[in-house]
Amino acid sequence: MAKPMSVVREDTIETGTEGARVSSFVGAIAVTDMVKTTLGPFGMDKILLGSGSGAAEAVTVTNDGATILKSIHIDNPAAKVLVEISKTIDDEVGDGTTSVCVLAGELLREAEKLLASKLHPQTVIEGFRMAVPVTLRALEACSFDVSANPEQQRNYLLNVARTTLSSKILQAEKDHFATMAVDAVMRLHGGNLESIHIIKKNSGSLRSSFLEEGFLLEKKVGVGQPKRIENAKILLANTAMDTDRIKIFGAKVQVDSVAKVAEIEEAERARMLAKCKKIADHGVNVFINRQLIYNLPEQFFAERNIMAIEHADFEGVERLALVTGAEIVSTFDHPELVKFGTCKLIEEVMIGEDMVIKFSGVARGEACTIVLRGPTSHIVAEAERSLHDALCVLSVVVKEPKVVCGGGCTEMAMSLAVDELARQTAGKKALAIEAFARALRVLPTIIADNAGYDSSELVSQLRAAHASGSTTAGLDMNLGRIGDMNTLGIIEPIKVKKHVLLAAAEAAEMILRVDHIFQAPPRKRERDPRMG
């Protein structure tokens, strides 16, 4: 009998059907088990230790799924798929990063059992595909619109923010931060979240954080320049304002006398003064530069009562351009083509022990700044991640004002709808549909487990409540019993639920389709002929 011929290189690592599936399932389920303890209002935190040089900066304390997954190094290809969908959900809707990973992992856990029972992967995939439209219809049936009454909409937005913050470090102050987040988002009228600036200060308590109208820039005004400007005309630039260095790598200038050096310095000085004059000729009274402003141009602007702000980093300059209506320029030969920014008042104000520059009455009136305060940098950083999630979720609700009940309510409603489909489906696909329903019920189970309650008892009570017609019943984790989610104010955006459901189902289907893994050989280190 002829020996089978391989079409790949000898040093290519090939994993066959069984090995590939085992590897995929083990990797994905391992990632799910790692992050599922962070799910729900009583989820636990993870400490992430980086490999950087600074010990304080290398430590991250968080329970945010996307932050955890993107901070750890994963080699398993199936696990990387879950990491990618978590990042995608974070970019699209800002929340649900843990839920999508957990749901995808539980679907694969159920699929693994079915494959062990000799079901074909395509049969399992087809059953999952049949279940997804039913879950979406059940989700729509559970939703309600919150845009009819403006006052009622604000209450729903507050509840959405509280629900999002309930599983974060801001849980103890969720009312304070929910109000702050809703006030900030409602100022936007559906606009860009970039208009909300967040400043972190390591002082005081989380409770002392506040929302400030206008834009705050963590920089200082130049020496001898006005500290307060009314009716500001602003020029934003990204240009070099220094004269004491030659910006050509490896350049060398040779002169035969000290007088020649003086001539070079004078030429540089004249060039910089000419540039400063071009800037002043624009008729502006505020000049903000992304790069440093050295002593000579700083003195020039001070003599002409122009406020100059240096080293406003790229994000700061971009955000200032957005809120003041200006455009960033690099050359100053055509003032008529420049778009200037406007602001009613620019002044220095004190926050804690630091001076910042406040822009009031900017062109984009909805712009605001949230000042986050806390005792340590780790707490403030986690508070920023938590507040960012709340802002993203609120922005989603404002643009698509439909919400559903949380606390495992929608997952149970969807699982019952899928169970009904399974009873009406003939053949082996019904087994896959039932598995999909079981995976949905795992989410409320994990929420109860993380809170330390008897999950089997609570989930069975929740299932019975929904079967008897209580469509808003969910898990009340404060009292450890079944409660009315609408009355308790535990609600979530329907868009987040849809994204989680679809992304998890598609990721599980992609991993189920894998039957071979080919790993490219490591690149061999070749000897450098220059080393002799």
Side-chain angles (χ1 to χ4, degrees):
M1 184 175 179
K3 184 179 178 181
M5 184 182 68
S6 175
V7 295
V8 297
R9 285 175 49 177
E10 290 183 2
D11 49 359
T12 299
I13 303 173
E14 180 182 358
T15 307
T17 304
E18 286 302 317
R21 284 180 184 153
V22 168
S23 173
S24 298
F25 288 142
V26 168
I29 293 171
V31 169
T32 299
D33 291 340
M34 178 178 62
V35 299
K36 72 179 183 181
T37 56
T38 67
L39 192 65
F42 292 95
M44 306 299 286
D45 289 354
K46 309 287 185 189
I47 292 181
L48 309 173
L49 296 176
S51 57
S53 55
E57 279 129 33
V59 176
T60 304
V61 183
T62 183
N63 72 346
D64 181 63
T67 304
I68 294 168
L69 292 175
K70 71 184 179 185
S71 301
I72 58 178
H73 301 287
I74 294 176
D75 288 332
N76 187 279
K80 288 182 179 180
V81 172
L82 298 193
V83 173
E84 286 299 318
I85 63 168
S86 181
K87 289 179 182 177
T88 303
I89 289 290
D90 191 40
D91 293 339
E92 289 183 347
V93 291
D95 199 16
T97 53
T98 305
S99 299
V100 69
C101 189
V102 170
L103 181 56
E106 293 302 327
L107 286 171
L108 290 171
R109 200 190 302 269
E110 293 292 336
E112 185 181 24
K113 298 174 186 176
L114 295 176
L115 296 186
S117 303
K118 304 303 181 184
L119 258 71
H120 194 276
Q122 292 295 346
T123 305
V124 178
I125 290 171
E126 188 61 30
F128 284 1
R129 284 181 178 175
M130 293 173 65
V132 169
V134 174
T135 57
L136 292 177
R137 286 195 294 270
L139 193 61
E140 287 287 349
C142 295
S143 67
F144 44 97
D145 197 308
V146 298
S147 61
N149 187 337
E151 185 60 35
Q152 186 184 27
Q153 183 185 23
R154 179 179 174 81
N155 291 332
Y156 276 118
L157 288 174
L158 285 169
N159 286 334
V160 168
R162 291 190 193 103
T163 303
T164 303
L165 296 174
S166 291
S167 60
K168 312 290 184 182
I169 195 173
L170 302 178
Q171 181 181 15
E173 302 290 349
K174 64 181 179 182
D175 290 335
H176 175 66
F177 283 95
T179 303
M180 192 189 304
V182 170
D183 289 342
V185 170
M186 291 192 75
R187 289 172 60 91
L188 302 179
H189 305 294
N192 192 347
L193 280 179
E194 289 293 320
S195 297
I196 302 175
H197 184 39
I198 298 178
I199 290 179
K200 297 178 287 185
K201 293 292 180 184
N202 298 340
S203 62
S205 63
L206 287 172
R207 179 75 183 179
S208 60
S209 302
F210 61 93
L211 175 68
E212 185 76 40
E213 291 187 7
F215 183 85
L216 297 181
L217 185 65
E218 295 181 275
K219 296 296 173 183
K220 293 182 179 178
V221 177
V223 177
Q225 296 168 0
K227 308 296 183 184
R228 177 186 170 93
I229 296 285
E230 295 184 2
N231 298 319
K233 184 179 180 181
I234 305 167
L235 176 63
L236 292 180
N238 180 13
T239 186
M241 299 297 291
D242 54 340
T243 60
D244 60 354
R245 66 180 67 175
I246 297 174
K247 296 184 180 64
I248 303 175
F249 181 73
K252 186 166 69 171
V253 178
Q254 290 183 338
V255 294
D256 53 12
S257 69
V258 177
K260 296 288 186 182
V261 176
E263 289 178 14
I264 294 174
E265 290 178 347
E266 186 58 34
E268 283 286 306
R269 178 184 173 88
R271 181 187 65 82
M272 180 51 62
L273 288 175
K275 190 174 188 179
C276 292
K277 187 175 184 306
K278 287 181 180 179
I279 294 172
D281 289 344
H282 283 66
V284 298
N285 50 12
V286 179
F287 174 66
I288 302 174
N289 191 30
R290 185 193 168 199
Q291 302 181 40
L292 291 172
I293 300 177
Y294 277 45
N295 294 341
L296 178 63
E298 186 178 62
Q299 179 185 350
F300 180 93
F301 294 133
E303 291 171 354
R304 287 156 181 78
N305 283 329
I306 296 175
M307 178 189 288
I309 303 169
E310 68 171 359
H311 213 218
D313 52 48
F314 186 73
E315 183 181 348
V317 170
E318 286 286 313
R319 207 180 294 266
L320 270 173
L322 176 70
V323 300
T324 62
E327 289 182 355
I328 302 171
V329 297
S330 299
T331 59
F332 311 99
D333 296 324
H334 301 284
E336 69 279 2
L337 302 178
V338 176
K339 187 176 181 181
F340 301 102
T342 57
C343 181
K344 291 181 180 178
L345 176 63
I346 301 177
E347 60 182 340
E348 281 193 331
V349 296
M350 180 77 75
I351 294 182
E353 298 178 355
D354 301 321
M355 294 294 293
V356 298
I357 302 171
K358 180 180 179 181
F359 294 73
S360 304
V362 292
R364 179 167 287 197
E366 63 267 24
C368 59
T369 302
I370 295 175
V371 181
L372 279 180
R373 306 180 70 182
T376 70
S377 59
H378 305 117
I379 292 176
V380 174
E382 178 64 3
E384 182 191 23
R385 286 188 287 269
S386 304
L387 190 60
H388 175 265
D389 287 356
L391 292 172
C392 290
V393 168
L394 289 171
S395 177
V396 166
V397 177
V398 169
K399 293 175 182 176
E400 187 177 332
K402 295 182 75 173
V403 296
V404 293
C405 292
C409 173
T410 50
E411 284 80 9
M412 187 57 68
M414 290 188 291
S415 73
L416 291 178
V418 174
D419 276 334
E420 182 62 29
L421 173 66
R423 284 192 289 270
Q424 298 172 6
T425 304
K428 294 181 179 179
K429 294 176 187 176
L431 299 175
I433 297 172
E434 288 175 354
F436 198 99
R438 287 195 298 272
L440 287 170
R441 286 195 291 271
V442 170
L443 289 172
T445 302
I446 293 173
I447 292 173
D449 282 336
N450 290 344
Y453 296 115
D454 185 349
S455 59
S456 300
E457 176 69 20
L458 285 175
V459 172
S460 62
Q461 290 180 16
L462 180 59
R463 187 175 186 180
H466 275 264
S468 63
S470 300
T471 55
T472 58
L475 300 177
D476 181 358
M477 288 294 92
N478 291 323
L479 299 176
R481 65 186 186 190
I482 305 303
D484 189 319
M485 296 294 100
N486 209 356
T487 304
L488 294 172
I490 302 175
I491 56 176
E492 302 175 73
I494 189 173
K495 188 174 181 179
V496 173
K497 292 289 187 184
K498 281 183 179 178
H499 276 69
V500 166
L501 181 67
L502 293 172
E506 289 170 2
E509 178 181 336
M510 176 186 290
I511 295 171
L512 274 171
R513 286 178 172 275
V514 174
D515 70 345
H516 260 74
I517 297 176
F518 295 95
Q519 185 174 348
R523 199 169 99 188
K524 294 180 180 178
R525 180 177 293 180
E526 297 180 0
R527 183 172 169 274
D528 191 342
R530 295 174 298 177
M531 300 304 292

